């Protein structure tokens, strides 16, 4: 019997080391009370009653241990969710939903899963999903949006034509895709059926062809900031 009581005492000590901040809970207080009753019954020679109290003390000690583990998981989930929300908000602020739609969507879904798990008090899963948000957004970075418009410049200066413009990194990075530009802008041309005739000053629209986000007008000053267009991105 004394051996059983010693095990309970050791268990309490481990719990205290495990999470002192959650030690004072209902289950542990009950375990403490039953331990005292078990010792008093043992001293009085009431061995069966002492054993009964010791069993209840052990039962509540286990409940206390489970409660502490749950509270620790909740605390970790709280921090993970806060970090995940902060990361997703940052990603939104730099237009990651437009420039990195797949990564952003994965982050949103992971955060939604984390919140659902948290509401169901599955704090372990909530923390794991929250960490997935950070992983999903790991490659997200601030980028200069690809231009949506381009103003045609003189041939002598830039050799501007649909073929050459299409081949520039900030347009399609591939001259073979020039017809996308032509079809979108032919109505603005003096002879719509002649793709060779584009005039300086014409504001050409660069249509999105793979869901890429585009905004603003091409600026030579930002040329080095544009990342090469990648149709498979």
């Amino acid at each position: 019997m004394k051996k059983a009581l010693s095990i309970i005492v050791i268990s309490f000590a481990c719990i205290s080391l495990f999470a002192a901040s959650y030690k004072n809970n209902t289950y542990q207080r009950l375990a403490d009370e039953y331990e005292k009753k078990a010792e008093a019954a043992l001293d009085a020679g009431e061995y069966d009653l002492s054993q009964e109290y010791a069993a209840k003390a052990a039962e509540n000690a286990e409940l206390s241990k489970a409660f502490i583990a749950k509270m620790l998981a909740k605390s970790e989930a709280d921090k993970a969710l806060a970090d995940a929300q902060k990361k997703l908000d940052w990603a939104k602020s730099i237009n990651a939903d437009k420039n990195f739609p797949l990564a952003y969507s994965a982050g949103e879904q992971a955060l939604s899963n984390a919140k659902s798990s948290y509401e169901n008090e599955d704090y372990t899963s909530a923390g794991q999903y929250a960490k997935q948000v950070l992983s999903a957004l790991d490659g997200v970075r601030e980028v200069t949006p690809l231009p949506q418009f381009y103003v045609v410049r003189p041939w002598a200066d830039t050799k501007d034509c649909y073929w050459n413009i299409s081949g520039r990194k900030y347009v399609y990075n591939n001259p073979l895709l020039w017809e996308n530009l032509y079809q979108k802008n032919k109505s603005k041309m003096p002879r719509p059926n002649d793709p060779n005739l584009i005039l300086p000053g014409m504001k050409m629209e660069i249509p999105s062809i793979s869901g890429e986000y585009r905004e603003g007008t091409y600026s030579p000053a930002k040329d080095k900031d544009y990342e090469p267009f990648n149709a498979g991105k």
Side-chain angles (χ1 to χ4, degrees), residues 23-149:
K23 181 178 179 181
N24 186 26
N25 62 72
T26 301
Y27 301 117
Q28 182 134 349
R29 288 196 293 271
L30 284 172
D32 290 340
E33 291 176 9
Y34 280 122
E35 180 188 358
K36 291 176 182 178
K37 289 181 179 181
E39 290 177 346
L42 181 64
D43 291 340
E46 297 178 342
Y47 302 117
D48 290 342
L49 184 59
S50 178
Q51 188 171 5
E52 180 182 338
Y53 285 145
K56 289 183 178 180
E59 178 184 351
N60 279 280
E62 286 301 313
L63 291 173
S64 177
K65 185 176 180 180
F67 172 79
I68 290 171
K70 183 177 182 179
M71 290 300 98
L72 283 176
K74 181 177 183 295
S75 179
E76 291 176 0
D78 286 338
K79 183 180 184 306
L81 276 165
D83 290 343
Q85 185 66 64
K86 183 178 179 181
K87 185 74 171 182
L88 196 67
D89 289 344
W90 167 80
K92 178 71 172 179
S93 73
I94 63 167
N95 292 320
D97 55 325
K98 299 169 182 174
N99 291 313
F100 300 91
L102 294 180
Y104 186 82
S105 178
E108 272 193 319
Q109 184 59 58
L111 185 59
S112 176
N113 291 339
K115 290 179 177 179
S116 294
S117 295
Y118 190 92
E119 290 175 0
N120 292 326
E121 298 188 4
D122 184 356
Y123 301 121
T124 298
S125 293
Q128 292 172 345
Y129 280 126
K131 290 176 182 177
Q132 288 179 17
V133 176
L134 304 184
S135 297
L137 301 176
D138 185 56
V140 169
R141 63 197 181 283
E142 190 166 3
V143 299
T144 299
L146 293 171
Q148 184 181 2
F149 299 97

